[in-house]
Amino acid sequence: MKITIVGTGGVGGYFGGKLAKAGFDVCFIARGKHLNALKNNGLTVKSILGDFHVDDIKATDKIREAGQADLIILSVKAWQIKETRDELKHIMHKNTVILPLQNGVLASGELEETIDRKHLVGGLCRIISKIESPGVINHFGVTTPTIVFGELDNTDSERLQTLKAAFDKAGIHALVTMDIESELWKKFLMICVSGLLAVTRTTYGELRELKETREMMIDLFTEIYTLSQHIGIAMEADFVEKTISIIDSLPYDSTSSLTRDVWEGKPSEIDYQNGTVVKLGEKYGVDVPINRFVYNSILPMEQKARKNSGKR
Ligand SMILES: NC(=O)C1=CN([C@@H]2O[C@H](COP(=O)(O)OP(=O)(O)OC[C@H]3O[C@@H](n4cnc5c(N)ncnc54)[C@H](OP(=O)(O)O)[C@@H]3O)[C@@H](O)[C@H]2O)C=CC1
Ligand SMILES: CC(C)(CO)C(=O)C(=O)O
């Protein structure tokens, strides 16, 4: 199987590295100093499960140079999908499968605007990882990194089983789901607390401990749950409570990647998290005041971050 990893960051570097280490023909799309380091020194993955290194990797910053792929793992940030999607057709054949792993619920919809839906499967991942330095990925949280994926029409298929077999061979914990939209929304609900952490400048521990901020967190989750029910997403009636128990079990001092991006003045995925809740809330007539407050509060920082980084 020929695999192209579009976006060799925390996610693409880790999962792509595992696939390359297992002997799959993998091409990594990266850029700048990170690309140079990958070309010169190979890919190093530091991991709480054991470090590994892949020599002589194929890497380029020009997607169309990667050649045709059977599987494209799309692991750029959510707001980079619109910038990269049109290049993908240059490396696709009639059976190419595209697996997006972004947080949020918009990835497949944005891909479908320019790519035939038959090429898409839905996906998400659970891991905490980042580029530590050029050529080096650090996987530092989530003890069983996982990819969850499924057909957008909730059917089983031969290609899902082929992907599962490839992930199994690479030692990647992979789960096939018959309702990827529900899985995406469940992760989305929880990840949207990241914006609240950013605004209140708290860690998970601090946010959940103080009565006032705990109430805001519960209201934020409840708004998303209500929205999901208006849209018709399958979600257990006690999903908000279940999510709160997960938040209560997270390390006291931990935060999430969006929170850190906002604090560090970097462009974030806020439009794909609380921003999406606000837009869908307007569309479906569901009031989402806490999500709106979080989104509106981060917006000025987001605009500055994008201006300073030159990233739109
Ligand atoms: N990291 C994590 O722990 C988790 C992340 N996720 C989700 O996964 C997605 C990816 O996140 P993450 O891996 O952290 O992101 P990163 O920013 O670490 O990785 C994305 C990489 O893609 C590169 N890239 C983007 N566009 C191009 C291009 N056109 N050509 C070459 N390289 C390109 C970026 O380069 P540049 O920086 O120059 O733009 C960057 O190195 C996000 O949606 C995130 O929310 C989900 C679960 C956990
Ligand atoms: C919540 C978490 C860590 C889980 O994978 C994540 O997706 C992120 O920080 O972006």
Side-chain angles (χ1 to χ4, degrees):
M1 184 186 291
K2 240 190 126 220
I3 302 169
T4 298
I5 304 292
V6 178
T8 310
V11 165
Y14 178 82
F15 291 113
K18 293 284 283 182
L19 288 158
K21 193 75 190 161
F24 286 97
D25 180 355
V26 182
C27 181
F28 293 87
I29 307 297
R31 58 188 170 197
K33 285 184 188 157
H34 188 46
L35 173 65
N36 291 339
L38 291 170
K39 280 180 165 170
N40 295 333
N41 313 320
L43 171 69
T44 299
V45 178
K46 292 187 183 170
S47 168
I48 47 177
L49 298 174
D51 303 348
F52 63 93
H53 183 80
V54 193
D55 286 318
D56 291 333
I57 64 165
K58 279 195 228 167
T60 174
D61 54 3
K62 293 177 191 64
I63 294 176
R64 58 181 76 193
E65 280 182 3
Q68 287 197 328
D70 304 308
L71 170 65
I72 297 172
I73 296 185
L74 191 54
S75 41
V76 294
K77 292 281 196 189
W79 46 271
Q80 293 171 323
I81 286 188
K82 285 187 177 170
E83 296 166 13
T84 42
R85 65 184 178 192
D86 289 343
E87 278 298 297
L88 302 183
K89 62 177 178 288
H90 298 290
I91 58 166
M92 287 168 62
H93 57 66
K94 70 177 188 346
N95 293 323
T96 298
V97 176
I98 302 176
L99 172 62
L101 293 179
Q102 285 67 30
N103 274 324
V105 292
L106 302 183
S108 47
E110 287 191 350
L111 288 168
E112 240 186 280
E113 284 167 12
T114 63
I115 295 170
D116 191 332
R117 183 180 169 90
K118 72 173 190 202
H119 290 287
L120 308 177
V121 296
L124 62 86
C125 65
R126 300 186 206 289
I127 188 168
I128 302 184
S129 53
K130 62 174 183 182
I131 299 178
E132 184 177 279
S133 57
V136 181
I137 303 297
N138 189 355
H139 157 224
F140 58 101
V142 178
T143 47
T144 311
T146 302
I147 293 180
V148 182
F149 62 107
E151 294 289 350
L152 298 177
D153 63 2
N154 296 347
T155 55
D156 200 355
S157 68
E158 210 180 306
R159 66 183 184 176
L160 290 182
Q161 299 312 324
T162 306
L163 292 193
K164 165 95 174 107
F167 292 140
D168 286 350
K169 185 178 167 205
I172 295 170
H173 186 242
L175 300 173
V176 173
T177 173
M178 291 303 133
D179 193 345
I180 187 63
E181 199 177 20
S182 166
E183 295 301 324
L184 283 163
W185 268 85
K186 288 179 186 175
K187 186 167 187 208
F188 178 57
L189 185 145
M190 178 163 151
I191 197 82
C192 280
V193 76
S194 314
L196 184 60
L197 294 172
V199 166
T200 53
R201 298 199 73 83
T202 54
T203 64
Y204 282 113
E206 291 162 349
L207 185 90
R208 70 195 180 215
E209 199 172 67
L210 187 71
K211 185 174 151 289
E212 286 80 357
T213 47
R214 187 177 183 86
E215 276 170 10
M216 284 176 92
M217 168 178 75
I218 296 171
D219 290 347
L220 177 139
F221 288 150
T222 306
E223 289 171 10
I224 303 173
Y225 178 77
T226 307
L227 177 61
S228 76
Q229 297 313 287
H230 271 73
I231 298 177
I233 309 294
M235 216 185 268
E236 303 91 284
D238 62 348
F239 194 72
V240 169
E241 288 75 17
K242 280 187 180 147
T243 306
I244 292 162
S245 355
I246 297 172
I247 300 283
D248 284 339
S249 71
L250 294 174
Y252 188 92
D253 287 325
S254 59
T255 57
S256 80
S257 54
L258 178 135
T259 313
R260 292 188 295 276
D261 285 342
V262 173
W263 289 346
E264 288 164 19
K266 294 183 187 160
S268 78
E269 293 187 315
I270 195 67
D271 277 317
Y272 289 82
Q273 296 189 20
N274 309 90
T276 299
V277 178
V278 171
K279 283 198 189 78
L280 292 177
E282 280 161 12
K283 182 170 169 190
Y284 288 91
V286 177
D287 196 17
V288 293
I290 300 290
N291 280 278
R292 197 178 327 109
F293 167 76
V294 167
Y295 179 62
N296 291 354
S297 305
I298 291 178
L299 209 47
M301 294 180 255
E302 185 67 19
Q303 287 177 350
K304 268 184 225 154
R306 283 183 183 272
K307 202 169 155 205
N308 292 341
S309 73
K311 286 181 178 168
R312 277 191 305 132

